[in-house]
Amino acid sequence: RITARTIGYARWPAIELRLRILWNEERMRLKLALPTVCARDRVLCEILGGTAELPADGDEHVHARWCMLEGGGAAVGVASCGLHGFDCLNGELRLSVLRGAAYCHEQHFELGEYPARAFMDQGTHDVRLLVTAGTPEEVRACLPGLADHLHAPPVAYAHLPIGERGAAQDGAPPFLTLAPAHVRLLACKRAADGEALIVRLQEGAGLPCTAALALHPPGLALTLPLTPLQIATLRIERSGAWRPVAMIEEE
């Protein structure tokens, strides 16, 4: 049994699919098929620590958080949470959602009515994924952020301001802004000596770019060139002065 919800917003660049699956199948696999018009022979995927183009040959492949299929000047991208297996053929992308394989079947025991065997992925599962479409450049740039939204969604806390200092100011600039969309904010914390702010950035789509970071206060605006998938750590002083630092020592 599968209950599916489709969620879309006018200013959100993706459609969200939420699936609740009651799975009691044995020795079967559940695939989610996404037919597209992008019949290319390669699929661009995020892998651990990078990106790779995997063949669209109908065989099962493994990726990390997102994959993209392009062709004819258009592209379709999918960001998921935990759906690491997929295959693709003739423009149809098929994600492996669940599989009811027998536990320890590599021991080559016989599967019969007796004795009873335990099978994987039995029970209720919640699955979320985001699907986006556009030009290859647009889709590739937004996929890292969509994957971050699924894996580490923003948290909202109730805040009751006290006094003038705690009151919200109309038109006040945000504390931190970062562009372009495929530059990820990995860390924003106080330095070990308590005298500065440590900000860690990563380019997430495998594209060279120039990151633009604005911080208020102290009214800092900086640009930083990043190579594909580069991680950069910055130390920002109270005065607005900044410099690159090592990832561990922060000195």
Side-chain angles (χ1 to χ4, degrees):
R1 179 179 178 181
I2 301 176
T3 302
R5 294 179 61 195
T6 304
I7 303 172
Y9 300 97
R11 301 182 65 181
W12 182 240
I15 294 176
E16 181 177 357
L17 301 179
R18 295 186 182 182
L19 309 176
R20 172 157 288 184
I21 305 167
L22 178 59
W23 181 255
N24 295 315
E25 307 300 324
E26 299 177 358
R27 304 174 68 180
M28 298 185 69
R29 175 176 296 190
L30 179 64
K31 286 273 192 177
L32 176 63
L34 300 172
T36 76
V37 296
C38 304
R40 193 180 171 214
D41 60 352
R42 310 290 288 181
V43 182
L44 178 67
C45 303
E46 182 190 65
I47 59 174
L48 294 179
T51 60
E53 286 193 333
L54 302 179
D57 54 4
D59 289 339
E60 190 79 1
H61 300 284
V62 178
H63 71 305
R65 305 179 307 160
W66 57 262
C67 58
M68 184 184 86
L69 188 61
E70 64 174 283
V76 175
V78 180
S80 63
C81 188
L83 306 184
H84 298 302
F86 79 95
D87 72 88
C88 183
L89 188 65
N90 298 327
E92 184 176 75
L93 184 66
R94 301 190 300 175
L95 299 171
S96 295
V97 181
L98 299 171
R99 64 192 189 105
Y103 281 108
C104 303
H105 195 214
E106 71 276 4
Q107 303 299 325
H108 303 293
F109 51 74
E110 293 186 3
L111 294 176
E113 185 175 357
Y114 299 102
R117 303 291 186 183
F119 293 84
M120 301 177 186
D121 290 347
Q122 304 298 293
T124 302
H125 301 266
D126 289 317
V127 177
R128 294 178 63 197
L129 63 152
L130 295 168
V131 181
T132 186
T135 66
E137 295 77 14
E138 293 171 342
V139 172
R140 185 169 181 175
C142 75
L143 280 173
L146 294 178
D148 284 339
H149 178 79
L150 288 178
H151 285 255
V155 180
Y157 296 100
H159 171 60
L160 301 177
I162 299 176
E164 294 183 359
R165 293 186 61 186
Q169 301 178 9
D170 293 337
F175 168 68
L176 186 150
T177 59
L178 180 63
H182 54 97
V183 176
R184 306 170 61 198
L185 179 66
L186 298 185
C188 181
K189 69 182 188 72
R190 180 182 294 181
D193 59 11
E195 298 299 324
L197 189 69
I198 300 297
V199 174
R200 182 165 297 128
L201 311 176
Q202 183 191 22
E203 194 290 313
L207 300 170
C209 70
T210 298
L213 174 69
L215 197 63
H216 180 84
L220 170 70
L222 65 89
T223 58
L224 182 70
L226 296 175
T227 58
L229 304 171
Q230 179 185 352
I231 297 176
T233 305
L234 309 177
R235 179 185 173 99
I236 302 174
E237 307 292 343
R238 297 176 187 270
S239 64
W242 64 276
R243 56 188 172 88
V245 294
M247 186 178 295
I248 303 299
E249 289 82 2
E250 300 179 358
E251 296 294 341

Short mmCIF file of all heavy atoms in Angstrom, two decimals, residues 129-172:
data_model
loop_
_atom_site.label_atom_id
_atom_site.label_comp_id
_atom_site.label_asym_id
_atom_site.label_seq_id
_atom_site.Cartn_x
_atom_site.Cartn_y
_atom_site.Cartn_z
N LEU A 129 11.33 13.05 -1.77
CA LEU A 129 12.25 13.45 -2.82
C LEU A 129 11.75 14.72 -3.48
O LEU A 129 10.55 15.04 -3.43
CB LEU A 129 12.45 12.34 -3.85
CG LEU A 129 11.26 11.89 -4.68
CD1 LEU A 129 11.75 11.35 -6.02
CD2 LEU A 129 10.50 10.78 -3.96
N LEU A 130 12.68 15.45 -4.07
CA LEU A 130 12.39 16.70 -4.77
C LEU A 130 12.77 16.54 -6.23
O LEU A 130 13.86 16.05 -6.55
CB LEU A 130 13.16 17.86 -4.15
CG LEU A 130 12.78 18.22 -2.71
CD1 LEU A 130 13.80 19.18 -2.11
CD2 LEU A 130 11.40 18.84 -2.66
N VAL A 131 11.87 16.95 -7.12
CA VAL A 131 12.09 16.85 -8.57
C VAL A 131 12.05 18.26 -9.15
O VAL A 131 11.12 19.03 -8.87
CB VAL A 131 11.02 15.97 -9.24
CG1 VAL A 131 11.28 15.86 -10.74
CG2 VAL A 131 10.98 14.59 -8.60
N THR A 132 13.06 18.59 -9.95
CA THR A 132 13.12 19.91 -10.57
C THR A 132 13.48 19.76 -12.03
O THR A 132 14.05 18.74 -12.45
CB THR A 132 14.15 20.81 -9.85
OG1 THR A 132 14.09 22.13 -10.39
CG2 THR A 132 15.56 20.27 -10.01
N ALA A 133 13.13 20.76 -12.83
CA ALA A 133 13.40 20.73 -14.28
C ALA A 133 13.75 22.13 -14.74
O ALA A 133 13.39 23.13 -14.12
CB ALA A 133 12.19 20.19 -15.04
N GLY A 134 14.47 22.20 -15.86
CA GLY A 134 14.88 23.48 -16.42
C GLY A 134 16.04 23.27 -17.36
O GLY A 134 16.23 22.18 -17.92
N THR A 135 16.85 24.30 -17.54
CA THR A 135 18.06 24.15 -18.34
C THR A 135 19.08 23.35 -17.53
O THR A 135 19.02 23.32 -16.29
CB THR A 135 18.65 25.51 -18.70
OG1 THR A 135 19.11 26.17 -17.51
CG2 THR A 135 17.61 26.40 -19.39
N PRO A 136 20.04 22.69 -18.19
CA PRO A 136 21.05 21.94 -17.43
C PRO A 136 21.79 22.81 -16.41
O PRO A 136 22.09 22.34 -15.30
CB PRO A 136 21.98 21.42 -18.52
CG PRO A 136 21.12 21.32 -19.74
CD PRO A 136 20.17 22.47 -19.64
N GLU A 137 22.08 24.05 -16.76
CA GLU A 137 22.80 24.92 -15.83
C GLU A 137 21.95 25.24 -14.60
O GLU A 137 22.45 25.22 -13.46
CB GLU A 137 23.20 26.22 -16.53
CG GLU A 137 24.21 26.05 -17.65
CD GLU A 137 23.58 25.52 -18.94
OE1 GLU A 137 22.32 25.54 -19.05
OE2 GLU A 137 24.34 25.08 -19.83
N GLU A 138 20.66 25.53 -14.80
CA GLU A 138 19.78 25.85 -13.67
C GLU A 138 19.60 24.65 -12.75
O GLU A 138 19.66 24.78 -11.52
CB GLU A 138 18.42 26.32 -14.19
CG GLU A 138 18.44 27.64 -14.93
CD GLU A 138 17.12 27.94 -15.61
OE1 GLU A 138 16.32 26.99 -15.81
OE2 GLU A 138 16.88 29.11 -15.96
N VAL A 139 19.36 23.49 -13.33
CA VAL A 139 19.10 22.30 -12.52
C VAL A 139 20.34 21.91 -11.73
O VAL A 139 20.27 21.63 -10.53
CB VAL A 139 18.63 21.14 -13.42
CG1 VAL A 139 18.54 19.84 -12.64
CG2 VAL A 139 17.28 21.48 -14.04
N ARG A 140 21.50 21.91 -12.38
CA ARG A 140 22.72 21.51 -11.68
C ARG A 140 23.06 22.46 -10.55
O ARG A 140 23.54 22.05 -9.49
CB ARG A 140 23.88 21.44 -12.68
CG ARG A 140 25.17 20.91 -12.07
CD ARG A 140 26.21 20.63 -13.14
NE ARG A 140 27.44 20.10 -12.59
CZ ARG A 140 28.47 19.69 -13.31
NH1 ARG A 140 28.40 19.73 -14.63
NH2 ARG A 140 29.56 19.22 -12.73
N ALA A 141 22.77 23.75 -10.73
CA ALA A 141 23.10 24.73 -9.70
C ALA A 141 22.22 24.60 -8.47
O ALA A 141 22.66 24.88 -7.35
CB ALA A 141 22.98 26.15 -10.28
N CYS A 142 20.96 24.17 -8.64
CA CYS A 142 20.06 24.14 -7.48
C CYS A 142 20.02 22.79 -6.78
O CYS A 142 19.52 22.70 -5.64
CB CYS A 142 18.65 24.56 -7.89
SG CYS A 142 17.70 23.32 -8.81
N LEU A 143 20.52 21.72 -7.39
CA LEU A 143 20.41 20.39 -6.77
C LEU A 143 21.14 20.27 -5.43
O LEU A 143 20.60 19.64 -4.50
CB LEU A 143 20.91 19.32 -7.75
CG LEU A 143 19.91 18.91 -8.82
CD1 LEU A 143 20.56 17.98 -9.84
CD2 LEU A 143 18.69 18.23 -8.21
N PRO A 144 22.36 20.80 -5.24
CA PRO A 144 22.98 20.68 -3.91
C PRO A 144 22.14 21.30 -2.80
O PRO A 144 22.03 20.74 -1.71
CB PRO A 144 24.32 21.40 -4.09
CG PRO A 144 24.63 21.30 -5.54
CD PRO A 144 23.30 21.41 -6.22
N GLY A 145 21.53 22.46 -3.07
CA GLY A 145 20.68 23.09 -2.07
C GLY A 145 19.43 22.29 -1.78
O GLY A 145 18.98 22.20 -0.63
N LEU A 146 18.83 21.70 -2.81
CA LEU A 146 17.64 20.87 -2.60
C LEU A 146 17.99 19.64 -1.76
O LEU A 146 17.22 19.23 -0.88
CB LEU A 146 17.05 20.43 -3.94
CG LEU A 146 16.48 21.55 -4.82
CD1 LEU A 146 15.96 20.96 -6.14
CD2 LEU A 146 15.37 22.31 -4.11
N ALA A 147 19.16 19.05 -2.02
CA ALA A 147 19.58 17.89 -1.22
C ALA A 147 19.82 18.30 0.23
O ALA A 147 19.46 17.56 1.16
CB ALA A 147 20.84 17.28 -1.83
N ASP A 148 20.43 19.46 0.45
CA ASP A 148 20.62 19.94 1.82
C ASP A 148 19.28 20.16 2.51
O ASP A 148 19.14 19.92 3.72
CB ASP A 148 21.42 21.25 1.82
CG ASP A 148 22.90 21.02 1.56
OD1 ASP A 148 23.37 19.89 1.77
OD2 ASP A 148 23.58 21.98 1.14
N HIS A 149 18.29 20.65 1.77
CA HIS A 149 16.97 20.89 2.35
C HIS A 149 16.35 19.59 2.86
O HIS A 149 15.67 19.58 3.90
CB HIS A 149 16.05 21.53 1.31
CG HIS A 149 14.66 21.78 1.79
ND1 HIS A 149 14.32 22.85 2.59
CD2 HIS A 149 13.50 21.08 1.59
CE1 HIS A 149 13.03 22.80 2.87
NE2 HIS A 149 12.51 21.74 2.28
N LEU A 150 16.57 18.49 2.15
CA LEU A 150 16.03 17.21 2.60
C LEU A 150 16.82 16.62 3.76
O LEU A 150 16.25 16.08 4.71
CB LEU A 150 16.02 16.21 1.44
CG LEU A 150 15.00 16.43 0.33
CD1 LEU A 150 15.17 15.38 -0.76
CD2 LEU A 150 13.57 16.38 0.87
N HIS A 151 18.15 16.70 3.70
CA HIS A 151 18.99 16.05 4.70
C HIS A 151 19.13 16.87 5.97
O HIS A 151 19.29 16.31 7.06
CB HIS A 151 20.37 15.76 4.10
CG HIS A 151 20.38 14.62 3.16
ND1 HIS A 151 20.90 13.38 3.47
CD2 HIS A 151 19.93 14.50 1.88
CE1 HIS A 151 20.76 12.55 2.45
NE2 HIS A 151 20.18 13.21 1.47
N ALA A 152 19.11 18.20 5.86
CA ALA A 152 19.25 19.07 7.04
C ALA A 152 18.31 20.25 6.87
O ALA A 152 18.75 21.37 6.59
CB ALA A 152 20.70 19.53 7.20
N PRO A 153 17.00 20.03 7.00
CA PRO A 153 16.04 21.11 6.77
C PRO A 153 16.20 22.23 7.79
O PRO A 153 16.65 22.00 8.92
CB PRO A 153 14.68 20.41 6.92
CG PRO A 153 14.96 19.21 7.76
CD PRO A 153 16.35 18.77 7.41
N PRO A 154 15.85 23.46 7.40
CA PRO A 154 15.95 24.58 8.35
C PRO A 154 15.00 24.38 9.52
O PRO A 154 13.92 23.82 9.38
CB PRO A 154 15.55 25.80 7.50
CG PRO A 154 14.76 25.23 6.36
CD PRO A 154 15.32 23.88 6.09
N VAL A 155 15.45 24.85 10.68
CA VAL A 155 14.67 24.72 11.91
C VAL A 155 14.21 26.10 12.33
O VAL A 155 14.99 27.06 12.33
CB VAL A 155 15.51 24.06 13.02
CG1 VAL A 155 14.69 23.94 14.31
CG2 VAL A 155 16.00 22.70 12.57
N ALA A 156 12.94 26.23 12.67
CA ALA A 156 12.38 27.51 13.13
C ALA A 156 12.10 27.42 14.62
O ALA A 156 11.48 26.46 15.10
CB ALA A 156 11.11 27.84 12.36
N TYR A 157 12.57 28.41 15.36
CA TYR A 157 12.35 28.48 16.80
C TYR A 157 11.50 29.71 17.13
O TYR A 157 11.68 30.77 16.53
CB TYR A 157 13.67 28.57 17.56
CG TYR A 157 14.55 27.35 17.41
CD1 TYR A 157 15.62 27.35 16.53
CD2 TYR A 157 14.31 26.20 18.16
CE1 TYR A 157 16.44 26.24 16.39
CE2 TYR A 157 15.12 25.08 18.02
CZ TYR A 157 16.18 25.10 17.14
OH TYR A 157 16.98 24.00 17.00
N ALA A 158 10.60 29.55 18.08
CA ALA A 158 9.81 30.69 18.54
C ALA A 158 10.72 31.62 19.35
O ALA A 158 11.49 31.18 20.20
CB ALA A 158 8.65 30.21 19.40
N HIS A 159 10.65 32.93 19.05
CA HIS A 159 11.49 33.91 19.74
C HIS A 159 10.61 35.05 20.21
O HIS A 159 9.92 35.69 19.42
CB HIS A 159 12.58 34.44 18.80
CG HIS A 159 13.35 35.59 19.37
ND1 HIS A 159 14.08 35.50 20.54
CD2 HIS A 159 13.49 36.86 18.94
CE1 HIS A 159 14.65 36.66 20.80
NE2 HIS A 159 14.30 37.51 19.84
N LEU A 160 10.63 35.30 21.51
CA LEU A 160 9.86 36.39 22.09
C LEU A 160 10.84 37.50 22.49
O LEU A 160 11.52 37.39 23.51
CB LEU A 160 9.06 35.91 23.30
CG LEU A 160 8.06 34.77 23.02
CD1 LEU A 160 7.39 34.33 24.30
CD2 LEU A 160 7.04 35.21 21.99
N PRO A 161 10.97 38.56 21.67
CA PRO A 161 11.96 39.60 21.97
C PRO A 161 11.59 40.37 23.23
O PRO A 161 10.42 40.60 23.53
CB PRO A 161 11.90 40.50 20.73
CG PRO A 161 10.54 40.27 20.16
CD PRO A 161 10.20 38.83 20.45
N ILE A 162 12.62 40.76 23.98
CA ILE A 162 12.44 41.52 25.21
C ILE A 162 13.23 42.82 25.08
O ILE A 162 14.45 42.79 24.84
CB ILE A 162 12.92 40.73 26.44
CG1 ILE A 162 12.11 39.43 26.57
CG2 ILE A 162 12.80 41.55 27.71
CD1 ILE A 162 12.57 38.54 27.69
N GLY A 163 12.57 43.94 25.22
CA GLY A 163 13.25 45.23 25.17
C GLY A 163 13.53 45.67 23.74
O GLY A 163 13.25 44.98 22.76
N GLU A 164 14.12 46.86 23.61
CA GLU A 164 14.38 47.43 22.30
C GLU A 164 15.43 46.66 21.52
O GLU A 164 15.35 46.52 20.31
CB GLU A 164 14.81 48.89 22.45
CG GLU A 164 13.71 49.80 23.00
CD GLU A 164 14.17 51.24 23.06
OE1 GLU A 164 15.34 51.49 22.70
OE2 GLU A 164 13.38 52.10 23.46
N ARG A 165 16.44 46.13 22.21
CA ARG A 165 17.51 45.41 21.52
C ARG A 165 17.00 44.11 20.92
O ARG A 165 17.52 43.64 19.90
CB ARG A 165 18.67 45.11 22.47
CG ARG A 165 19.41 46.35 22.94
CD ARG A 165 20.62 45.96 23.75
NE ARG A 165 21.55 45.16 22.97
CZ ARG A 165 22.65 44.59 23.47
NH1 ARG A 165 22.93 44.72 24.76
NH2 ARG A 165 23.44 43.88 22.70
N GLY A 166 15.99 43.50 21.55
CA GLY A 166 15.48 42.23 21.05
C GLY A 166 14.39 42.38 20.02
O GLY A 166 14.00 41.40 19.39
N ALA A 167 13.87 43.59 19.82
CA ALA A 167 12.76 43.79 18.89
C ALA A 167 13.25 43.71 17.45
O ALA A 167 14.35 44.15 17.12
CB ALA A 167 12.09 45.14 19.15
N ALA A 168 12.42 43.14 16.59
CA ALA A 168 12.77 43.06 15.17
C ALA A 168 12.69 44.44 14.53
O ALA A 168 11.83 45.26 14.88
CB ALA A 168 11.81 42.10 14.46
N GLN A 169 13.58 44.71 13.61
CA GLN A 169 13.63 45.99 12.93
C GLN A 169 13.18 45.80 11.48
O GLN A 169 13.72 44.97 10.76
CB GLN A 169 15.04 46.56 12.96
CG GLN A 169 15.58 46.78 14.36
CD GLN A 169 17.00 47.31 14.35
OE1 GLN A 169 17.54 47.65 13.30
NE2 GLN A 169 17.61 47.37 15.52
N ASP A 170 12.19 46.60 11.07
CA ASP A 170 11.71 46.51 9.70
C ASP A 170 12.82 46.94 8.74
O ASP A 170 13.48 47.97 8.94
CB ASP A 170 10.49 47.42 9.51
CG ASP A 170 9.29 46.92 10.29
OD1 ASP A 170 9.26 45.71 10.58
OD2 ASP A 170 8.40 47.73 10.61
N GLY A 171 13.01 46.15 7.69
CA GLY A 171 14.02 46.49 6.70
C GLY A 171 15.44 46.17 7.10
O GLY A 171 16.38 46.52 6.38
N ALA A 172 15.64 45.52 8.24
CA ALA A 172 17.00 45.18 8.67
C ALA A 172 17.56 44.11 7.75
O ALA A 172 16.86 43.17 7.36
CB ALA A 172 16.99 44.69 10.11
#
